[in-house]
Amino acid sequence: MLVVRPAGPADLDSLMELAVLSGRGFTSLPEDEATLLDRLTLSEASFTGAIGPREAWYTLMLEDSDTGRIEGIAGVRAAVGVTRPHFSFRVMTLAQFSSAIGTRFDHQALVLVNECSGWTEVGSLYLRPERRSGGAGSLLARSRYMLIGVERARFSETVMAELRGYFAPDGVCPFWEGVASKFFRLPFEQADHMVMSTDGQFILDLAPRHPIYVELIDQAAHEAIGRVHVEGEAARAMLEHEGFRGSGLIDIFDGGPTYSVPRDAITTIERTSPLALVQGNPVEAPERLVSTASIEGFRATRAKVRIEHDTAMVDAAALDALRLKPGELVRVRQ
């Protein structure tokens, strides 16, 4: 059975393996043990309530309970831009008009902004390639919203997701080569690593302060604006199914789009209810997403659930996966 559970320092080897598999441009999974260990330590403190709600960054592991292997990772960052600005480019239209010649021009431009400060971010969604079917991705992605729904006040009223930008088949990132590298003058891998491993001061120091006219950048970079990495298309479809829409913001390094949605309008949160657990044999019941009703010790899985009045009947295997007992509360997506 696949189970989503909290991540901690003991998961370092598995997380490092996923980081290597994820490849270029997956900023939240750098191939750096020290950075990943810091993240796992922060995750453990977040789930136990050892740090303030706004500083929390919850990392979730998708585990196969039969083999013990970690099949994927996802994360929820309670608030971005708390300790440092969270920069994006906003794609804007700038209008210019000359009465002297009776001519109007509309120019698309990239403007550096810090609009996401305080928003909750869902991200770091990655599965092993062989697990990208059969509902594993949906379970992992939706578990993030189940977590947020447990205690909404811990999270922002706006939830965002940054999708990895487009990379050409040869591994080149057109937006980086055509735009971002002109300002940061670093190899992409080094800048990407520094996003997670430093305080981000280099972004504040070097990012452009003036609008960048899209007409003046090369065609490949232009076409990459807001374009999603080939491995991110499934993630975008799942976001849209949950109510996320494009925000007009893009990543300053790879040009990938930022999606956002009001927290309480997320489909999974809207359709999830707290119910009391009952043990039984719901053979004919449909499979549903079910999770614990607390952040500490949070767990989620898919199981057959029979809903009757204010109760949810599941079998012994589901109870064991959730580490709950009959009579305790669960949250079920209906």
Side-chain angles (χ1 to χ4, degrees):
M1 179 177 282
L2 293 176
V3 181
V4 177
R5 61 160 179 83
D11 294 305
L12 179 60
D13 289 346
S14 295
L15 187 57
M16 189 66 192
E17 184 181 357
L18 293 178
V20 172
L21 287 172
S22 67
R24 277 187 99 198
F26 208 102
T27 305
S28 59
L29 277 181
E31 295 178 31
D32 182 82
E33 285 196 0
T35 301
L36 295 180
L37 181 58
D38 285 345
R39 176 166 175 190
L40 290 170
T41 302
L42 176 57
S43 175
E44 184 176 62
S46 300
F47 279 104
T48 60
I51 59 172
R54 285 176 61 80
E55 288 75 39
W57 190 352
Y58 308 89
T59 299
L60 297 165
M61 293 296 197
L62 179 67
E63 180 178 321
D64 187 327
S65 61
D66 295 328
T67 64
R69 190 171 83 152
I70 300 302
E71 304 290 354
I73 177 181
V76 179
R77 198 168 189 169
V80 302
V82 173
T83 58
R84 67 179 189 185
H86 184 90
F87 290 116
S88 307
F89 282 133
R90 175 162 287 285
V91 183
M92 302 183 68
T93 299
L94 303 179
Q96 292 180 284
F97 175 75
S98 172
S99 59
I101 59 174
T103 302
R104 171 191 167 113
F105 293 100
D106 288 342
H107 299 280
Q108 257 201 339
L110 307 178
V111 178
L112 189 71
V113 296
N114 178 29
E115 296 182 14
C116 302
S117 182
W119 291 7
T120 290
E121 180 182 22
V122 293
S124 308
L125 182 66
Y126 182 79
L127 288 100
R128 295 179 185 272
E130 64 270 24
R131 276 293 190 179
R132 294 172 191 172
S133 61
S138 174
L139 166 61
L140 186 55
R142 288 175 172 169
S143 293
R144 300 174 300 181
Y145 314 129
M146 299 291 280
L147 176 70
I148 293 170
V150 167
E151 196 172 333
R152 300 186 195 188
R154 289 196 186 203
F155 304 94
S156 171
E157 293 182 359
T158 302
V159 180
M160 61 177 279
E162 292 184 316
L163 288 158
R164 183 162 32 159
Y166 173 73
F167 281 70
D170 60 2
V172 171
C173 177
F175 188 84
W176 171 263
E177 297 298 333
V179 179
S181 66
K182 312 302 183 186
F183 299 94
F184 294 101
R185 308 287 177 93
L186 297 168
F188 179 87
E189 286 78 7
Q190 184 179 351
D192 192 49
H193 173 68
M194 288 174 68
V195 171
M196 290 292 295
S197 61
T198 73
D199 63 2
Q201 182 62 40
F202 80 105
I203 299 176
L204 195 61
D205 293 338
L206 301 176
R209 295 291 189 273
H210 303 288
I212 301 170
Y213 285 85
V214 172
E215 292 169 278
L216 300 181
I217 66 177
D218 67 64
Q219 188 65 24
H222 186 171
E223 292 175 354
I225 293 173
R227 189 174 175 184
V228 178
H229 192 284
V230 63
E231 293 187 1
E233 289 294 349
R236 175 164 65 176
M238 286 191 288
L239 287 170
E240 291 176 345
H241 187 73
E242 292 289 337
F244 284 78
R245 294 293 181 267
S247 64
L249 302 173
I250 64 168
D251 185 82
I252 64 173
F253 285 168
D254 63 23
T258 296
Y259 276 44
S260 65
V261 64
R263 177 196 62 207
D264 297 337
I266 295 174
T267 302
T268 289
I269 292 179
E270 282 187 318
R271 297 183 183 178
T272 300
S273 306
L275 300 167
L277 265 180
V278 175
Q279 184 175 343
N281 188 23
V283 180
E284 303 300 324
E287 249 194 5
R288 303 179 190 271
L289 179 60
V290 56
S291 79
T292 59
S294 65
I295 287 182
E296 186 171 2
F298 176 84
R299 295 174 76 85
T301 190
R302 288 192 66 85
K304 290 186 176 182
V305 182
R306 179 180 298 158
I307 298 174
E308 294 180 353
H309 306 298
D310 294 327
T311 65
M313 178 186 289
V314 300
D315 62 19
L319 278 173
D320 185 59
L322 295 169
R323 296 187 178 174
L324 294 176
K325 299 176 182 178
E328 294 188 89
L329 281 180
V330 286
R331 293 177 54 80
V332 180
R333 187 188 190 277
Q334 301 189 49

